[in-house]
Amino acid sequence: MAGNLAGRTAIVTGGAQGIGAGSARALHAAGASVVIADVREAEGEQVAAELGDRARFAPLDVRDAAAWARVVAGAEDAYGRVDVLVNSAGIAPVAPFAEYGEDAFRRALDVNVTGLFLGITAVVPALRRAGGGSIINIGSAGGFRAYPLMTGYITSKWAVRGLTKVTALELGVDGIRVNAVHPGQTDTPMTAGANFGTAHVALKRVGLPSDIAGAVLFLAGDDSRFITGADLVVDGGDLAGSADWASVPDRN
Ligand SMILES: NC(=O)c1ccc[n+]([C@@H]2O[C@H](COP(=O)([O-])OP(=O)(O)OC[C@H]3O[C@@H](n4cnc5c(N)ncnc54)[C@H](O)[C@@H]3O)[C@@H](O)[C@H]2O)c1
């Protein structure tokens, strides 16, 4: 099926499941060739096999600069160019502040921030060779306010916004756009078993990976050609209100 991304190539980290897999499916359906990059090899291979033509899996730990170089080179070898990077790999260690600990805090920043920095660093030369491109960082509604029990995660997601804006500022001259998509609670393996409630969410439901993928698709393609350094919140109206609404009787 031809789409508005026909002839383009996208690398999607965290593509083995959740929001990354949803984004890979949407980009592929729009005509892009897709490289699914993840530490979860079996699941990543399965998503690539499901997509079939124009899809491949590449093993990647986003904390590893050498692995990043291999993924980008492999994408160019296979498909001739790289146009889009979706940074969706992430982790969310959960614990009270007193028990969070240095290790979990450093891991959250390493994967959720340094991993994005290394990805952008690795992909920029390839995007330049392609004449420009689009980088989409998956942040979080937690990058606009705090949720308890997630010290490292919340800190990392606020940092994603800074990383997005400074790289947008510097890379615009190369025709490279950098934007962030900030999901609210979304039904993925990361949130399995968690329930933040939806009473205060305008649309009264949690998100699906395909809801987030719609925003990723928009930012990947030319319809968003004058948008860079932006924060696109995709949360069903969660941030629009206040969690206090959870205690207000439902008038709907
Ligand atoms: N699910 C939500 O409610 C929600 C809300 C806001 C933001 N987000 C963000 O969306 C992104 C995707 O989350 P998700 O819900 O799909 O989570 P998920 O756990 O379902 O998927 C995350 C993927 O990232 C991969 N990954 C983890 N560490 C990695 C590493 N070091 N190198 C390479 N891959 C690695 C995992 O293997 C997994 O496939 C994350 O950045 C997350 O913080 C999710």
Side-chain angles (χ1 to χ4, degrees):
M1 171 188 132
N4 64 355
L5 294 179
R8 311 261 176 104
T9 304
I11 297 171
V12 184
T13 75
Q17 65 183 34
I19 290 167
S23 299
R25 289 188 176 99
L27 293 162
H28 187 267
S33 298
V34 176
V35 176
I36 291 147
D38 205 295
V39 285
R40 291 180 193 272
E41 305 208 0
E43 295 90 334
E45 293 278 14
Q46 201 178 323
V47 175
E50 171 206 314
L51 295 179
D53 195 28
R54 293 184 285 108
R56 67 201 318 256
F57 172 74
L60 172 71
D61 186 325
V62 295
R63 298 168 294 185
D64 181 348
W68 265 113
R70 288 194 292 275
V71 170
V72 173
E76 279 188 314
D77 278 354
Y79 302 121
R81 55 189 288 148
V82 178
D83 306 275
V84 175
L85 169 64
V86 181
N87 278 316
S88 188
I91 57 168
V94 175
F97 177 74
E99 294 160 27
Y100 210 84
E102 179 179 344
D103 179 57
F105 188 81
R106 285 190 188 278
R107 273 193 298 119
L109 266 67
D110 230 17
V111 175
N112 298 354
V113 184
T114 309
L116 276 57
F117 169 78
L118 293 176
I120 295 168
T121 303
V123 84
V124 159
L127 297 182
R128 284 197 182 118
R129 283 191 284 278
S134 174
I135 297 170
I136 299 140
N137 296 323
I138 307 299
S140 171
F144 291 80
R145 69 175 184 215
Y147 298 93
L149 308 178
M150 304 182 88
T151 313
Y153 183 80
I154 295 295
T155 305
S156 75
K157 293 302 183 177
W158 282 74
V160 168
R161 296 176 58 203
L163 177 64
T164 299
K165 289 185 193 302
V166 70
T167 50
L169 208 53
E170 295 202 34
L171 298 173
V173 69
D174 294 315
I176 298 171
R177 300 182 294 110
V178 190
N179 293 290
V181 168
H182 300 286
Q185 190 186 348
T186 307
D187 188 9
T188 71
M190 179 181 276
T191 53
N195 182 8
F196 302 107
T198 55
H200 60 289
V201 177
L203 296 180
K204 306 293 180 205
R205 67 170 175 88
V206 300
L208 300 172
S210 57
D211 295 321
I212 314 305
V216 169
L217 198 55
F218 168 64
L219 290 172
D222 293 342
D223 285 347
S224 60
R225 59 191 166 272
F226 201 52
I227 300 177
T228 194
D231 289 308
L232 180 47
V233 175
V234 186
D235 69 345
D238 185 346
L239 286 180
S242 149
D244 291 339
W245 280 101
S247 61
V248 173
D250 193 343
R251 288 175 293 127
N252 290 331

